[in-house]
Amino acid sequence: MAVSRSWLARRTEGFTESVIREMTRLNAVHGGINLAQGFPDFPAPAEIKEAAKRAIDADINQYAITWGAPALRMALASTYADLYGMKVDPDTMITTTCGSTEAMVSTLLAIVDPGDEVVVLEPFYENYGPDAAICGATPVFVPLRGPELTFDRDELARAFGPRTKAIIVNTPNNPSGRVFTRDELVFIAELCQKHDAIAVTDEIYEHIKYTGPHIPIATLEGMAERTVTISGASKTFSVTGWRVGWIIAPPALSAGIRKVHDFVTVGAPAPLQEAVAAALSLGRPYYDKLSHDYRVRRDLLVGALERAGFTPRSPEGAYYVLCDIGRFGFPDDVAFARWLVADVGVAGVPGSSFFSRPELGRTTIRFTFCKTAALLNEAAERLAETETRARKRAV
Ligand code: GLN
């Protein structure tokens, strides 16, 4: 049948399918070790699983209140007060969502008009590009430079202008592992205030960090009223498939975000919200152990990558490591990643997925270390073959 017009809306043309999830599929085809998509292969804490079972047994099967089960909103309000001294009203300032992925897109849909500019530091988490395209936002990219991966202050200041609606701040950062310092965050906060812009923060890795404290930008002076803080249970409790995330924002912003959220999803899974509420009572000792365990995994993978001839940047937070692959002599990162999973049997994510222009990530690959030591050791054995196999391929 002839199609006389395009059936797909133009907004779908501005982005491609997720490369992260494509690598997971490719990994399955080759039977490789998946160090591409960031999901743990170890169990979630017993407490959260028991709480989920109790909630289902108690027949908590119907819609929760659209902006979140009261128990979860109460638990979040006390968690943010305890950990960060934030005053969060559970009735007007919290929205629970289907993961922080939904949180980000619902937030942007609620605050951005087509043509508004959103500042994004790059490398950036793959989703922010499509999120901007879906909302009709114009992303303005500012590079993180040098081995320190920090932004140039003049360059960031120049990125803000009359059309700037928001900046997305992801700390600890995926994919770079940067944890922004207080000084850096204060500089961003001042720009937001000067230009009447909103800070939209993605803090999903807040409890996975190896240096310094986590500083929510909402705790900086003058920022509570112009910050949308996004986080979730996925990474903290190793439940990425549960899809429980949340948004903390001032009441007026929350009201707009809640409307979008309601009509897009109605709400996050009701029994799982109860389970996350229970898990939040694990508190600091749990978070400390989480970071400690991830540090061990980080050091294992970073060491293996160094020995295998990659040039990894050891992250300060989150569970990814970016590596330079220049020495393996491939034309680009996509060719390398496809070869690596097929020939060496380890999947990573081509670096270009995290940049606005593919050439910026041409010599980069990202691996995740949210895996058991056993699997990371097996990956290490395979990765040790990279150089030899790459040389054979070249002959
Ligand atoms: N955040 C994870 C990553 O970057 C998972 C992405 C996803 O598939 N939602 O790998």
Side-chain angles (χ1 to χ4, degrees):
M1 190 182 78
V3 174
S4 58
R5 63 185 170 83
S6 169
W7 283 3
L8 291 174
R10 272 192 297 279
R11 75 174 68 84
T12 64
E13 291 163 10
F15 55 96
T16 61
E17 197 195 336
S18 159
V19 178
I20 297 175
R21 292 182 279 285
E22 186 192 345
M23 287 310 298
T24 288
R25 287 194 294 274
L26 202 57
N27 183 69
V29 169
H30 293 292
I33 295 176
N34 188 357
L35 302 189
Q37 195 176 10
F39 61 86
D41 71 337
F42 41 84
E47 291 87 346
I48 198 170
K49 292 191 290 192
E50 289 306 322
K53 289 180 220 170
R54 279 198 306 275
I56 289 176
D57 282 340
D59 273 313
I60 302 184
N61 298 322
Q62 313 309 328
Y63 305 121
I65 292 174
T66 182
W67 48 82
L72 179 53
R73 284 183 287 119
M74 299 290 280
L76 285 168
S78 75
T79 296
Y80 276 82
D82 287 354
L83 295 179
Y84 307 122
M86 283 166 66
K87 270 210 192 85
V88 178
D89 175 9
D91 290 331
T92 58
M93 293 172 62
I94 300 179
T95 309
T96 69
T97 55
C98 297
S100 60
T101 295
E102 191 241 319
M104 182 59 74
V105 80
S106 287
T107 297
L108 293 180
L109 281 168
I111 66 172
V112 168
D113 280 315
D116 284 353
E117 293 178 358
V118 175
V119 177
V120 178
L121 299 163
E122 75 176 333
F124 56 88
Y125 175 46
E126 189 196 49
N127 280 34
Y128 306 152
D131 288 349
I134 288 169
C135 304
T138 306
V140 177
F141 297 102
V142 175
L144 297 172
R145 294 188 184 281
E148 297 300 312
L149 283 178
T150 190
F151 51 81
D152 177 274
R153 292 189 172 207
D154 293 334
E155 212 167 359
L156 185 60
R158 281 199 303 276
F160 279 73
R163 300 207 65 111
T164 306
K165 193 64 186 273
I167 178 170
I168 297 178
V169 185
N170 171 212
T171 185
N173 187 267
N174 175 10
S176 71
R178 271 304 318 275
V179 171
F180 291 110
T181 62
R182 181 174 290 275
D183 266 8
E184 287 172 314
L185 294 173
V186 166
F187 186 77
I188 292 171
E190 286 168 358
L191 285 174
C192 288
Q193 289 172 49
K194 182 167 166 205
H195 294 275
D196 194 20
I198 298 168
V200 178
T201 75
D202 177 347
E203 303 183 19
I204 189 77
Y205 301 98
E206 63 187 306
H207 297 301
I208 302 175
K209 57 189 172 16
Y210 319 110
T211 49
H214 172 67
I215 305 171
I217 207 164
T219 60
L220 301 182
E221 206 182 320
M223 289 307 287
E225 57 263 41
R226 60 173 67 249
T227 300
V228 177
T229 304
I230 291 173
S231 192
S234 296
K235 317 290 181 178
T236 298
F237 298 114
S238 308
V239 288
T240 62
W242 283 21
R243 315 314 297 136
V244 178
W246 53 81
I247 303 167
I248 315 280
L253 281 173
S254 289
I257 294 168
R258 284 175 169 187
K259 284 196 288 184
V260 175
H261 158 75
D262 186 8
F263 286 104
V264 174
T265 70
V266 180
L272 304 183
Q273 291 193 59
E274 301 295 331
V276 174
L280 285 168
S281 68
L282 292 172
R284 261 182 224 275
Y286 173 80
Y287 303 133
D288 289 347
K289 180 163 185 325
L290 186 75
S291 282
H292 171 270
D293 291 351
Y294 269 116
R295 177 193 294 273
V296 173
R297 297 182 190 111
R298 175 195 69 169
D299 293 347
L300 199 166
L301 184 64
V302 168
L305 287 166
E306 274 166 357
R307 287 192 299 280
F310 291 76
T311 315
R313 180 190 181 278
S314 187
E316 302 127 46
Y319 53 46
Y320 307 99
V321 50
L322 278 184
C323 304
D324 192 89
I325 50 168
R327 68 183 283 179
F328 298 118
F330 279 74
D332 64 45
D333 59 312
V334 176
F336 180 77
R338 287 179 167 272
W339 170 82
L340 193 75
V341 66
D343 255 58
V344 174
V346 178
V349 180
S352 52
S353 316
F354 307 106
F355 289 91
S356 53
R357 287 179 290 127
E359 62 270 26
L360 298 174
R362 205 180 49 227
T363 63
T364 310
I365 192 165
R366 187 198 78 172
F367 295 110
T368 182
F369 50 88
C370 53
K371 307 292 172 189
T372 53
L375 196 75
L376 291 173
N377 278 321
E378 205 183 319
E381 268 176 39
R382 294 186 186 191
L383 288 167
E385 297 283 310
T386 308
E387 186 120 49
T388 317
R389 285 177 184 264
R391 228 179 287 127
K392 270 197 204 134
R393 169 191 168 273
V395 179

